[in-house]
Amino acid sequence: MSDTDPKSTQDLTVVVQTLLQQMQDKFQTMSDQIIGRIDEMSTRIDDLEKNISDLMTQAGVEEFEGENKVTDASGTA
């Protein structure tokens, strides 16, 4: 029986190590996917902000907003 105990302990250790390695690999894969998606969303948001800024410039909204800010600031001061 003493011969069986170390062998089964070694087997159990190998199984646990293998399971932990598989879990680590899965978490790393998921982490990489999440980071990739966040990077993609960041790029999309940057593009959206640029497009909105371009549209506002084309429509002359920035100048209008600037005038409102000055009026609002002097109206409240």
Side-chain angles (χ1 to χ4, degrees):
M1 183 126 179
S2 62
D3 291 340
T4 311
D5 288 339
K7 177 68 173 152
S8 64
T9 302
Q10 289 175 352
D11 290 345
L12 181 60
T13 301
V14 169
V15 168
V16 169
Q17 287 176 341
T18 302
L19 179 62
L20 289 174
Q21 184 62 46
Q22 289 172 348
M23 289 175 61
Q24 183 178 358
D25 292 344
K26 287 181 181 181
F27 278 117
Q28 186 62 47
T29 300
M30 288 172 38
S31 176
D32 292 344
Q33 288 175 345
I34 289 170
I35 290 171
R37 289 179 181 172
I38 289 171
D39 288 343
E40 181 183 342
M41 286 174 46
S42 175
T43 301
R44 287 181 172 186
I45 289 171
D46 289 343
D47 290 345
L48 182 60
E49 287 176 341
K50 183 183 179 310
N51 289 336
I52 289 172
S53 176
D54 291 346
L55 288 171
M56 289 174 66
T57 300
Q58 289 176 2
V61 173
E62 289 178 334
E63 293 174 11
F64 183 70
E65 281 184 359
E67 292 172 5
N68 280 346
K69 289 179 184 175
V70 171
T71 303
D72 290 344
S74 63
T76 57

